[in-house]
Amino acid sequence: MKPILRIITYLFKKNNLINTNDTYDSFFDDGASFPQLIEIIFNEKIPQIISNPMDTFQKKSNNDKALQFLFEKKF
């Protein structure tokens, strides 16, 4: 596992979340992990995130909302 993914896994575990992604692609492809990471970083919920995205549209929508949230924070 890549070092950055190990750090992400640690952050998830510290926040009582589970991260089973072992590649960068799987981290973004599931549509839930990236938004959860952004929520952990800012200790804020991202509005209108679907907690269990089922299809490609929902997954992309979640990632887009997380990215927009990140841009709005001017991180």
Side-chain angles (χ1 to χ4, degrees):
M1 182 185 294
K2 304 277 184 183
I4 292 175
L5 287 173
R6 287 179 193 239
I7 293 168
I8 290 170
T9 299
Y10 168 77
L11 290 172
F12 273 57
K13 188 174 183 179
K14 186 176 177 186
N15 286 276
N16 298 317
L17 297 170
I18 297 171
N19 178 32
T20 58
N21 299 298
D22 56 355
T23 67
Y24 297 125
D25 286 339
S26 65
F27 179 77
F28 289 99
D29 287 346
D30 72 8
S33 298
F34 177 59
Q36 286 177 329
L37 177 63
I38 300 303
E39 289 178 343
I40 289 169
I41 291 170
F42 290 103
N43 195 29
E44 256 182 85
K45 288 288 184 189
I46 300 170
Q48 300 176 344
I49 289 292
I50 300 166
S51 60
N52 189 16
M54 300 305 272
D55 58 35
T56 304
F57 176 78
Q58 290 177 342
K59 293 173 183 179
K60 182 177 181 336
S61 176
N62 274 1
N63 285 339
D64 289 346
K65 288 173 188 169
L67 187 59
Q68 184 63 39
F69 183 85
L70 182 62
F71 285 147
E72 289 173 5
K73 294 293 184 179
K74 298 183 181 171
F75 184 58

